[in-house]
Amino acid sequence: MSNVKVHIALADDHRMFLHALRALLEKEPGIEVVGVAGTGDELLALVGDKPVDIVCIDIGMPAMNGIETTRRLLALRPNVKVIGLSAFSDRQFVLDLLNAGARGYVTKAEAGEELLRAIHTVQLGKTYLCPDVAATVTSALLDNTPRDTSTPRITARERQVLQLIAEGHTSGRIAERLHLAASTVEVHRRNIMRKLDLHSVAELTKYAIRNGITTISG
């Protein structure tokens, strides 16, 4: 193997997981962790200041989630390769992240050897999905039956709005964060409630926690 190191940045709002991941990766002779971040904004600032080849990013970070952060990161640094980390292998999470430009996806339960495989694979310009996620994506591609109506589809923007609602932000604050009109946020809120058949902020919050859309503990 070459003596050239792969420079990696890590982003996750769970500090214990973040530090454990850093310790794991720093044992690898071909890897250098150049920095860690707890939010999407911190990651974008970090990547702007340091040489980074690969970013390993938690999907469910508060405020700006991993999918939106990936979009912004790749607009800023298109040559960086992104690997998503999540406690969930839900097909919509996976597809949304890949559509945002990520090159890999690993569940946190497999974030040991599988993550190392993912890093070495995406560094070669290939895409890597851990076994659980690969099965999910294969099923999505081969499944020609109508989508299960018990898991209604919400858009990536609606997912962002739902996450921020669950984290306690007002419509005005959400509009500020997402650069939308407050009236547009209200339209998204109504659409989310209609699609999910939910009728209060409390119900939206419970749904977001149950489905891994927010990392708050309730």
Side-chain angles (χ1 to χ4, degrees):
M1 188 172 176
S2 167
N3 290 327
V4 176
K5 287 185 178 288
V6 179
H7 298 96
I8 295 181
L10 306 174
D12 196 302
D13 63 308
H14 291 99
R15 288 290 169 184
M16 287 182 65
F17 179 80
L18 189 62
H19 294 313
L21 196 58
R22 181 173 196 162
L24 168 74
L25 295 180
E26 286 181 337
K27 291 178 183 175
E28 293 295 307
I31 290 174
E32 180 181 348
V33 177
V34 298
V36 298
T39 68
D41 287 329
E42 286 178 12
L43 176 66
L44 294 178
L46 171 66
V47 170
D49 292 339
K50 295 182 182 293
V52 176
D53 301 307
I54 294 174
V55 167
C56 300
I57 186 170
D58 177 31
I59 304 304
M61 291 189 299
M64 180 164 50
N65 64 32
I67 295 165
E68 180 61 22
T69 303
T70 295
R71 287 196 189 95
R72 296 192 189 188
L73 167 64
L74 294 177
L76 184 70
R77 296 280 300 276
N79 292 328
V80 170
K81 298 174 178 69
V82 176
I83 298 171
L85 294 168
S86 177
F88 302 91
S89 58
D90 172 83
R91 74 167 66 178
Q92 201 54 49
F93 277 128
V94 177
L95 296 176
D96 284 348
L97 187 71
L98 294 177
N99 286 335
R103 301 298 295 271
Y105 195 110
V106 176
T107 58
K108 288 187 175 182
E110 298 181 289
E113 290 299 317
E114 285 298 327
L115 181 57
L116 294 174
R117 287 192 192 98
I119 289 168
H120 294 311
T121 300
V122 303
Q123 183 62 11
L124 294 173
K126 302 176 183 177
T127 297
Y128 186 89
L129 304 176
C130 71
D132 282 353
V133 171
T136 297
V137 171
T138 301
S139 171
L141 292 173
L142 296 178
D143 185 7
N144 292 318
T145 61
R147 186 177 176 85
D148 183 353
T149 56
S150 68
T151 54
R153 184 187 181 96
I154 60 174
T155 67
R157 177 64 85 187
E158 287 168 349
R159 191 181 292 270
Q160 279 184 297
V161 171
L162 175 55
Q163 179 181 352
L164 291 169
I165 291 170
E167 289 167 4
H169 297 286
T170 64
S171 292
R173 182 65 179 138
I174 294 170
E176 241 176 70
R177 282 179 175 270
L178 300 182
H179 308 291
L180 300 171
S183 59
T184 302
V185 172
E186 285 301 318
V187 170
H188 284 312
R189 183 196 296 258
R190 287 195 296 273
N191 286 341
I192 294 164
M193 287 181 160
R194 175 179 53 77
K195 287 180 179 182
L196 301 179
D197 193 25
L198 300 174
H199 309 286
S200 69
V201 170
E203 289 182 355
L204 288 173
T205 301
K206 286 177 186 175
Y207 179 91
I209 294 169
R210 195 166 58 245
N211 288 276
I213 293 171
T214 178
T215 58
I216 65 172
S217 58

